[in-house]
Amino acid sequence: MKTTRLFNFSAGPGTLPLSVLQVVQQHLVSLPGVGMSIMELSHRSSAFEEILGTAEANLRDLMKLPEHYRILFLHGGATLQFSMIPISFLRGTGSVAEYVVSGTWGQKALNEARREGDARVSWTGEKEGFTRAPLPSEINIGADAAYAHLTSNETIQGIQLQDLPLPGTTPMFCDMSSDFLSRAIDIERYALFYAGAQKNAGPAGVTVVVIREDLLERASTDIHTLLDYRVHVAHDSMYNTPPVFAIYVVMLVTQWLRDKIGGLENMGTINEQKSKMLYDVIDQSNGFYRGHARPDSRSRMNVTWHISDDTLATIFARQAQERELVNLNGHRSMGGFRASIYNAMPIQGVRALRDLMLDFQTQYSG
Ligand SMILES: *Cc1c(COP(=O)(O)O)cnc(C)c1O
């Protein structure tokens, strides 16, 4: 049976590098030197210890992570971090948390913080329909804040934050789910950041959390065990059974990023090139394609646009399917189209989508 792989533009779980999937396939029944499947492997075994250690070392290496940051591999998705953060760092402080809301995910994070305590909106793009990122000068962070929370890439709207200033001494927390490992970043700006792996780092089931050690001393002590960052740090992410398979794939993806791509600077350049191919088509379409995000706020991971005419949009969707380009529908709250072009989307896939957009416009524009 021939294996057909479509170009999968899904926002998540997203496409994975083919070479990684092939290694997973080859070793699925029996890991070399181990004699059993990764899915059967005890998390207390030395073989898994090595996998976990390698995944962590790869991440440290890629991000050039300073010693005083810890890496955790947790359950519960990025969504559980929306709760764990305020539970740990707002509870009992009598202080406020500041939330920058540049799209749907930032709003969800804010909503969870409000269950826990006083959370303030430092900036929101809601009135403008989440079409842009804030300017650093627009973000209002009180000196009394326990922390400030950002979403570096709003997956649904396709809004990405570029440079942001350090908000004085306020610890900065960031949801990086959909642009984690997509570019080199200035780690020291963040006290804590996290990403559900299924966008850019692996399969669903594991969330990578990077936390600066000194934060742990400030965390509330009145917390259920599994929600306590200190417990996870003390047990090297193995307080309970970790998502063994997902961590294994993260190890392979980070290896691919380092060895095949050549690190985050290279990845950033490639992602800039890939996204530019699509934004150029939008910009040169005389309004046939209307980008959602303002040009200065565009995401290099999730490209969002509309086609004004509903009938044409339906035909476009069908033609995409015919060319084996799938999962291009915009989020149900947004309509239109969204191409998620994560790290593992090959340039051939982006080229195929660009060609479709160009051909379609030639065929159907006035
Ligand atoms: C997908 C996504 C989430 C939710 O992730 P889960 O792992 O499903 O909880 C949160 N934030 C952003 C930016 C996302 O893209």
Side-chain angles (χ1 to χ4, degrees), residues 11-12 76-82 104-106 108 151-156 175-179 194-199 204-207 302 338 342:
T79 306
L80 187 60
Q81 296 308 305
F82 296 170
T104 307
W105 290 113
K108 288 195 174 182
T151 311
S152 54
N153 186 69
E154 283 287 356
T155 322
I156 291 174
D175 175 1
M176 291 189 192
S177 292
S178 52
D179 66 358
Y194 59 97
Q198 72 274 17
K199 312 293 166 62
V206 66
T207 305
N302 313 95
R338 169 174 57 177
Y342 296 125

Coordinates of all heavy atoms in Angstrom, one line a residue, residues 11-12 76-82 104-106 108 151-156 175-179 194-199 204-207 302 338 342, ligand 1:
A11 N -3.8 23.7 12.4 CA -3.3 24.6 13.5 C -2.8 23.7 14.7 O -2.1 24.2 15.6 CB -4.3 25.6 13.9
G12 N -3.3 22.5 14.8 CA -2.8 21.6 15.8 C -3.8 20.5 16.2 O -5.0 20.8 16.2
G76 N -1.8 18.1 30.6 CA -2.8 19.1 30.7 C -2.8 20.2 29.7 O -3.7 21.1 29.7
G77 N -1.9 20.2 28.7 CA -1.9 21.1 27.7 C -1.5 22.5 28.1 O -1.3 22.8 29.3
A78 N -1.4 23.4 27.2 CA -1.2 24.9 27.5 C -2.3 25.3 28.4 O -2.2 26.2 29.3 CB -1.1 25.7 26.3
T79 N -3.5 24.8 28.2 CA -4.7 25.2 28.9 C -4.5 25.0 30.4 O -5.0 25.9 31.2 CB -5.9 24.4 28.4 OG1 -6.0 24.6 27.0 CG2 -7.2 25.0 29.0
L80 N -3.9 24.0 30.9 CA -3.7 23.8 32.3 C -2.8 24.9 32.9 O -2.9 25.3 34.0 CB -3.2 22.4 32.7 CG -3.2 22.1 34.2 CD1 -4.6 22.2 34.8 CD2 -2.6 20.7 34.5
Q81 N -1.8 25.3 32.0 CA -1.0 26.4 32.5 C -1.7 27.7 32.7 O -1.4 28.5 33.6 CB 0.2 26.7 31.5 CG 1.1 25.5 31.3 CD 1.6 25.0 32.6 OE1 2.2 25.8 33.4 NE2 1.4 23.7 32.9
F82 N -2.8 27.9 32.0 CA -3.7 29.1 32.3 C -4.1 29.1 33.7 O -4.4 30.1 34.3 CB -4.9 29.1 31.4 CG -4.7 29.2 29.9 CD1 -5.7 29.0 29.0 CD2 -3.4 29.5 29.4 CE1 -5.5 29.1 27.6 CE2 -3.2 29.6 28.0 CZ -4.3 29.4 27.1
T104 N -7.6 35.2 21.0 CA -8.5 34.3 21.8 C -7.8 33.6 22.9 O -8.3 33.4 24.0 CB -9.0 33.2 20.8 OG1 -9.6 33.9 19.7 CG2 -10.0 32.3 21.5
W105 N -6.5 33.1 22.7 CA -5.8 32.4 23.7 C -5.5 33.2 24.9 O -5.6 32.8 26.1 CB -4.6 31.7 23.2 CG -5.0 30.5 22.2 CD1 -4.8 30.5 20.9 CD2 -5.7 29.3 22.6 NE1 -5.3 29.3 20.4 CE2 -5.9 28.6 21.4 CE3 -6.2 28.8 23.8 CZ2 -6.5 27.4 21.4 CZ3 -6.9 27.6 23.8 CH2 -7.0 26.9 22.6
G106 N -5.1 34.5 24.7 CA -4.8 35.4 25.8 C -6.0 35.7 26.6 O -6.0 35.8 27.8
K108 N -8.5 33.6 27.0 CA -8.8 32.4 27.8 C -7.9 32.3 29.0 O -8.3 31.9 30.1 CB -8.6 31.1 27.0 CG -9.7 30.9 25.9 CD -9.7 29.5 25.4 CE -10.9 29.4 24.5 NZ -11.1 28.1 23.9
T151 N 0.8 36.3 25.1 CA 0.7 35.2 24.2 C 1.6 35.6 23.0 O 1.2 36.5 22.3 CB -0.7 34.9 23.7 OG1 -1.6 34.9 24.9 CG2 -0.9 33.6 23.0
S152 N 2.7 34.9 22.8 CA 3.6 35.4 21.7 C 3.0 35.2 20.3 O 3.3 36.0 19.4 CB 5.0 34.7 21.9 OG 4.8 33.3 21.8
N153 N 2.2 34.2 20.2 CA 1.6 34.0 18.8 C 0.1 33.6 19.0 O -0.1 32.5 19.6 CB 2.4 33.0 18.1 CG 1.9 32.8 16.6 OD1 2.0 33.7 15.8 ND2 1.2 31.7 16.3
E154 N -0.8 34.4 18.5 CA -2.2 34.0 18.6 C -2.6 33.2 17.4 O -2.7 33.7 16.3 CB -3.0 35.3 18.7 CG -3.0 35.9 20.1 CD -3.8 35.2 21.2 OE1 -4.5 34.2 20.9 OE2 -3.8 35.6 22.4
T155 N -2.7 31.9 17.7 CA -2.9 30.9 16.7 C -4.1 31.1 15.8 O -4.1 30.8 14.6 CB -3.0 29.5 17.4 OG1 -2.1 29.6 18.5 CG2 -2.6 28.4 16.5
I156 N -5.2 31.6 16.4 CA -6.5 31.7 15.8 C -6.5 32.9 14.9 O -6.9 32.9 13.7 CB -7.6 31.7 16.8 CG1 -7.7 30.3 17.4 CG2 -9.0 32.1 16.2 CD1 -8.7 30.2 18.6
D175 N 2.7 32.5 27.0 CA 2.2 31.3 26.3 C 2.8 31.3 24.9 O 2.5 32.2 24.0 CB 0.7 31.4 26.2 CG 0.1 30.2 25.4 OD1 0.8 29.4 24.9 OD2 -1.2 30.2 25.2
M176 N 3.8 30.4 24.6 CA 4.4 30.3 23.3 C 4.0 29.1 22.5 O 4.7 28.6 21.6 CB 6.0 30.2 23.5 CG 6.6 31.5 24.1 SD 8.4 31.3 24.0 CE 8.8 32.8 25.0
S177 N 2.8 28.6 22.8 CA 2.4 27.3 22.2 C 2.6 27.2 20.7 O 3.2 26.2 20.2 CB 0.9 27.0 22.5 OG 0.7 26.8 23.9
S178 N 2.2 28.3 20.0 CA 2.3 28.1 18.6 C 3.4 28.8 17.9 O 3.5 28.8 16.6 CB 0.9 28.6 17.9 OG 0.6 29.9 18.4
D179 N 4.4 29.3 18.7 CA 5.7 29.7 18.0 C 6.9 29.3 18.7 O 8.0 29.7 18.5 CB 5.7 31.2 17.6 CG 5.7 32.1 18.8 OD1 5.7 31.6 20.0 OD2 5.8 33.3 18.6
Y194 N 5.7 28.6 28.2 CA 5.2 27.3 28.1 C 4.6 27.1 26.7 O 4.3 28.1 26.0 CB 4.2 27.0 29.2 CG 3.0 27.9 29.1 CD1 1.8 27.6 28.5 CD2 3.1 29.2 29.8 CE1 0.7 28.4 28.5 CE2 2.0 30.0 29.8 CZ 0.8 29.7 29.1 OH -0.3 30.5 29.1
A195 N 4.5 25.8 26.3 CA 4.0 25.5 25.0 C 3.5 24.1 25.0 O 4.2 23.1 25.4 CB 5.1 25.6 23.9
G196 N 2.2 23.9 24.5 CA 1.7 22.6 24.2 C 2.5 22.1 23.0 O 2.7 22.8 22.0
A197 N 3.0 20.9 23.1 CA 4.0 20.4 22.0 C 3.3 20.3 20.7 O 4.0 20.3 19.6 CB 4.6 19.1 22.5
Q198 N 2.0 20.1 20.6 CA 1.4 19.6 19.3 C 1.4 20.7 18.2 O 0.9 20.4 17.1 CB 0.0 19.1 19.6 CG -1.0 20.2 20.0 CD -1.1 20.6 21.4 OE1 -0.1 20.3 22.2 NE2 -2.1 21.2 21.8
K199 N 1.9 21.9 18.4 CA 2.0 22.8 17.4 C 3.3 22.7 16.7 O 3.4 22.7 15.4 CB 1.7 24.3 17.9 CG 0.6 24.5 18.8 CD -0.8 24.3 18.1 CE -2.0 24.1 19.1 NZ -2.2 25.3 19.9
A204 N 0.5 15.8 20.5 CA -0.2 16.2 21.7 C 0.1 15.3 22.9 O 0.5 14.2 22.7 CB -1.7 16.1 21.3
G205 N -0.1 15.8 24.0 CA 0.1 15.0 25.2 C 1.2 15.6 26.2 O 1.2 15.2 27.3
V206 N 2.0 16.4 25.7 CA 3.0 17.0 26.6 C 3.1 18.5 26.4 O 2.9 19.0 25.3 CB 4.4 16.3 26.4 CG1 5.1 16.7 25.1 CG2 5.4 16.8 27.5
T207 N 3.3 19.2 27.5 CA 3.5 20.6 27.5 C 4.8 20.9 28.1 O 5.2 20.5 29.2 CB 2.4 21.3 28.4 OG1 1.1 20.9 27.9 CG2 2.5 22.8 28.3
N302 N 0.9 31.2 11.6 CA -0.5 31.0 11.1 C -0.8 32.2 10.3 O -1.0 33.3 10.7 CB -1.4 31.0 12.4 CG -0.9 30.0 13.4 OD1 -0.2 30.4 14.4 ND2 -1.1 28.7 13.3
R338 N -6.9 29.8 7.0 CA -5.7 29.8 7.9 C -4.8 28.7 7.4 O -5.1 27.6 7.4 CB -6.1 29.6 9.4 CG -4.9 29.4 10.2 CD -5.2 29.4 11.7 NE -6.2 28.3 12.0 CZ -6.6 28.0 13.2 NH1 -6.1 28.7 14.3 NH2 -7.4 27.0 13.4
Y342 N 3.9 25.6 10.4 CA 4.8 25.4 11.5 C 6.2 24.9 10.9 O 6.3 24.6 9.7 CB 4.3 24.3 12.5 CG 3.0 24.8 13.2 CD1 1.8 24.1 13.1 CD2 3.0 26.0 13.9 CE1 0.7 24.5 13.7 CE2 1.8 26.5 14.5 CZ 0.7 25.7 14.4 OH -0.5 26.2 15.0
Ligands
LIG1 C1 -3.3 25.5 21.0 C2 -3.0 26.6 21.9 C3 -3.4 26.5 23.3 C4 -4.1 25.3 23.9 O1 -3.3 24.3 23.9 P1 -3.8 22.9 24.6 O2 -2.5 22.1 24.6 O3 -4.9 22.3 23.7 O4 -4.3 23.1 25.9 C5 -3.1 27.6 24.1 N1 -2.4 28.7 23.6 C6 -2.1 28.8 22.3 C7 -1.4 30.0 21.8 C8 -2.4 27.7 21.4 O5 -2.0 27.8 20.1

